[in-house]
Amino acid sequence: MSDGFVRLDPVDSGSSGSTKRDASFKVVAGLGNSNCYSFATADGAYLRHRNFSLRADRYDGSDLFRKDATFCPRTSPYTGAVMLESINYPGRYLRHRNFQLRLDRDDDSQLFRADSAFRVVNGWS
């Protein structure tokens, strides 16, 4: 987390407790579709997209928030990984670009497939 935006930055055993906490999310049933995923932060916010950038916001109870915070797993070409498709923008997937997470359309490139492949791992906190 950096200024409310979600980034992919290096975190290791030597990182501070706050950095480790900011880098850990709990996978929960999707707020907009229980067959999909939402991601909760340690302080009770959820990861959601706004203007196609992923950020952490407090749940406001709205239908838009539920949809913005829900991502459905899709097959990835990488073993053990998934692509995460937005439920309210079909065809747009979570992807990192310049280490910031955002929603982008699949352009069928090798770079897109690599940048949008995610694996669930144990968190730091």
Side-chain angles (χ1 to χ4, degrees):
M1 301 299 305
S2 177
D3 296 324
F5 290 97
V6 181
R7 295 185 40 84
L8 290 182
D9 290 328
V11 179
D12 60 28
S13 60
S15 297
S16 71
S18 63
T19 296
K20 290 177 183 176
R21 188 173 43 258
D22 285 349
S24 298
F25 309 100
K26 182 178 179 183
V27 179
V28 298
L31 297 175
N33 178 336
S34 62
N35 293 316
C36 299
Y37 305 134
S38 289
F39 302 93
T41 65
D43 65 358
Y46 287 89
L47 303 186
R48 70 171 302 189
H49 66 84
R50 189 173 348 142
N51 297 322
F52 302 106
S53 292
L54 201 65
R55 39 185 318 112
D57 284 332
R58 295 272 175 211
Y59 180 42
D60 66 11
S62 70
D63 185 55
L64 178 62
F65 189 102
R66 285 189 292 277
K67 290 177 181 175
D68 285 353
T70 303
F71 305 92
C72 297
R74 303 295 186 235
T75 303
S76 168
Y78 294 91
T79 303
V82 295
M83 294 172 63
L84 296 167
E85 184 178 25
S86 167
I87 67 165
N88 58 344
Y89 286 94
R92 288 190 180 256
Y93 298 83
L94 282 183
R95 173 197 192 171
H96 74 84
R97 184 184 297 172
N98 298 322
F99 299 98
Q100 185 172 344
L101 286 171
R102 53 178 294 105
L103 283 184
D104 273 341
R105 290 188 189 282
D106 184 350
D107 64 11
D108 202 32
S109 70
Q110 182 64 30
L111 180 61
F112 181 89
R113 287 188 289 278
D115 288 352
S116 62
F118 295 94
R119 290 184 178 99
V120 176
V121 297
N122 290 330
W124 290 101
S125 60

